Amino acid sequence: MLKSWKTIQPYALVTPQTLVLVLFLVLPILMILLVSFWQFDGIQMIPGFTLDNYKSVFTSDVTLRTYLNTFKYVFLVWFFCLAIAFPVSYFLAFFVEDQKWQIILFLVCTVPFWTSNIIRMISWVPVLGKEGLVNSFLTGLGLIDQPIEWLLFSDFAIVLGMVHLYNFFMIAPIFNSLMRIDRSLITAARDMGASGFQILKEIILPLAAPGIAIGSIFVVTLVMGEFVTVRMMGGGQAASIGKMIQTQIGSLQYPLAAANAVILLLVTLLLVMAILRVVDIRKEL
Amino acid sequence: MLQKRSLTYYLLAAFFGLFVLFLYGPMLAIFTLSFQGEEGTLTFPMKGFSFYWLGQVFQEQRVGNFTDAFWRSLALGLTVTLLSVIVTVMSALAFRQRFKGSATLFYLTIASLIVPSVLVSLGIGIVFQVLDLETNWFTSGLGAHLTWTVPFAFLIMLGIFNRFNPSYEEASRDLGANDTKTFWEIVFPLILPALIGIGLLGFTLSYDEFTRTSLVSGQKNTLPLEIFGMTTNVTSPALYALGTLTTLFSFAMIVLAIAAYNYTARRQSQ
């Protein structure tokens, strides 16, 4: 009796979490898959089996253009997040010596993540708007006569907004891998005459790779499904897969939205698998 | 550690400074503009200094109602927090040993974090549609929030139990206490401050969540959805004032969370 309870116990303990995930993650995704084969009569969805939704996704050239545009955002946001996160984490991990300060400065980098994304996006308006800080500063210096229009409601603003929102997901895992690097490795390398750059390239970068991979997975998957930033910072014109799906839901075309969502999920999974092929992250988990 | 106070140090420090400015600059801009004079607009310069717009937030608005949305978000956040903490304490207790399927559940939890948010929202929307249920912030919205807060809480919880010294429990068991008693009298009091910390972080995640809720909140909006709706309508600094107030509220939660976490860490190292 006692022995059998011991074996059941872990299963009993994980039941609530499994239920939450099955009900609100697995089941919804299975339903998306199912509904993507259903029909739509202009008012509601009708159970059945048709490949029409997928056909219309694959035959429309809007789909391809939207994907290319989404990939553009994914690449740019990933690149800038990495370009910011690595130097920042490198500085925190190796140049800030006092551990207390290390923690405080790391928290400074991460606190905005726990506040509202919507407010953080709104806060760019007085900075980048036509009469915003950047434009009045540049006009004041006499560098430009006309305010720059593309600072807000443009692809530039979308990428800037996403880098602002998502750099946390790159900084946290990279900082974590850098902090795990055995400091004696670096001392040894320096004793053997390695330059700072060599240490960075031969020791730190390879050991930071799993952190970079985890951060990249987060950033890539977040941007792939993005529609809020695209909507708020892009001003109507900009297109992304997430926004396309959201528009289709708005007009109640659930089967078509579902087909798009299935393809989005597959593409996202392929990207994640590609990252995992390059870097082995198991040690980090 | 590396060549101290070298050129690299100063370059990296300057880069770090710019990054912090990038992170907080825009936020400071709207904080400042919240105190815009009554005649002021959405942009600089400041036309005087007043608390007029902060006061406006609490007035009945033409285009929306913050107060009701705030109470909804508060109620939802507290429910989500409580559920996330209970669910993840249980699973983290189980994860201290290997069991069949533990890897699957672990990866499923991570998947919940990285699956594109629009899929969660669409999927839950479709499930409710097919079952002919009405979407509501406290049903479908609650589920959508849990897919976001549970993985975070779970990962932090694993970290806490990793550092938990099992000898306390062994001692308790040796003295004849059963598992339930051991948990409530030994483990729970020791991890309580950390639980409060995790709870507060989960709360801010839920309180500020937008994407996953956006398609499944039903008729009544949570606060972030209400604010999103106002961005197109409200053209006065009241929008910034609201942003300032809700951000300060989040900050307060974060500070409390960090304090609670530190308190646990100190107690465990004693």
Side-chain angles (χ1 to χ4, degrees), chain B residues 60-81:
Chain B
E60 190 69 34
Q61 297 283 324
R62 268 168 301 151
V63 275
N65 192 332
F66 311 131
T67 338
D68 286 356
F70 171 77
W71 288 115
R72 276 194 287 273
S73 274
L74 192 68
L76 180 59
L78 291 174
T79 318
V80 167
T81 301

Side-chain angles (χ1 to χ4, degrees), chain B residues 204-215:
Chain B
T204 68
L205 284 178
S206 160
Y207 174 75
D208 293 322
E209 213 294 322
F210 179 84
T211 332
R212 294 183 187 217
T213 336
S214 62
L215 305 170

Side-chain angles (χ1 to χ4, degrees), chain A residues 6 9 11 13 17 45 84 90 94 97 108 111-112 114-116 119 122-123 126 164 190 221 227-228 232, chain B residues 1-2 19 22-24 26 33 87 90-91 100 109 114 119 123 129 179 208 210-211 228 231 240 243 251:
Chain A
K6 273 278 165 243
Q9 194 188 32
Y11 295 99
L13 285 171
Q17 182 159 329
M45 44 190 181
I84 290 173
Y90 180 58
F94 294 108
E97 302 207 357
V108 165
V111 157
W114 305 95
T115 67
S116 164
I119 303 290
I122 292 172
S123 66
H164 191 230
R190 198 170 326 108
T221 54
F227 62 94
V228 185
M232 280 191 80
Chain B
M1 179 89 211
L2 298 179
F19 172 67
F22 167 70
L23 268 189
Y24 291 88
L33 285 169
V87 162
M90 290 176 73
S91 57
K100 225 176 160 201
T109 312
I114 64 172
L119 265 110
Q129 180 101 356
D179 284 351
D208 293 322
F210 179 84
T211 332
F228 181 71
T231 53
Y240 297 156
F251 275 157

Side-chain angles (χ1 to χ4, degrees), chain B residues 54-239:
Chain B
L54 287 166
Q56 281 294 301
V57 172
F58 300 99
Q59 305 298 316
E60 190 69 34
Q61 297 283 324
R62 268 168 301 151
V63 275
N65 192 332
F66 311 131
T67 338
D68 286 356
F70 171 77
W71 288 115
R72 276 194 287 273
S73 274
L74 192 68
L76 180 59
L78 291 174
T79 318
V80 167
T81 301
L82 196 64
L83 288 175
S84 309
V85 169
I86 294 172
V87 162
T88 55
V89 166
M90 290 176 73
S91 57
L93 281 170
F95 267 78
R96 290 191 295 174
Q97 65 197 82
R98 280 197 167 268
F99 56 95
K100 225 176 160 201
S102 60
T104 315
L105 182 60
F106 181 82
Y107 286 114
L108 188 63
T109 312
I110 303 289
S112 181
L113 206 57
I114 64 172
V115 66
S117 305
V118 67
L119 265 110
V120 176
S121 219
L122 169 66
I124 295 177
I126 287 182
V127 169
F128 273 66
Q129 180 101 356
V130 169
L131 295 178
D132 212 17
L133 294 169
E134 214 178 305
T135 50
N136 258 315
W137 58 272
F138 51 84
T139 53
S140 44
L142 176 74
H145 279 211
L146 287 175
T147 64
W148 183 232
T149 54
V150 164
F152 270 106
F154 176 67
L155 289 177
I156 307 175
M157 203 71 83
L158 287 186
I160 287 170
F161 276 110
N162 252 337
R163 254 175 294 159
F164 190 82
N165 189 345
S167 53
Y168 295 128
E169 284 165 277
E170 282 155 21
S172 157
R173 252 178 240 122
D174 289 348
L175 292 170
N178 62 20
D179 284 351
T180 323
K181 201 171 157 98
T182 305
F183 176 78
W184 285 112
E185 295 195 1
I186 308 293
V187 183
F188 185 73
L190 282 170
I191 59 168
L192 182 62
L195 295 190
I196 295 170
I198 293 177
L200 288 165
L201 291 181
F203 178 81
T204 68
L205 284 178
S206 160
Y207 174 75
D208 293 322
E209 213 294 322
F210 179 84
T211 332
R212 294 183 187 217
T213 336
S214 62
L215 305 170
V216 292
S217 71
Q219 295 295 317
K220 297 213 164 89
N221 280 341
T222 59
L223 188 61
L225 268 76
E226 192 75 18
I227 296 174
F228 181 71
M230 314 201 75
T231 53
T232 43
N233 301 323
V234 179
T235 47
S236 73
L239 184 63

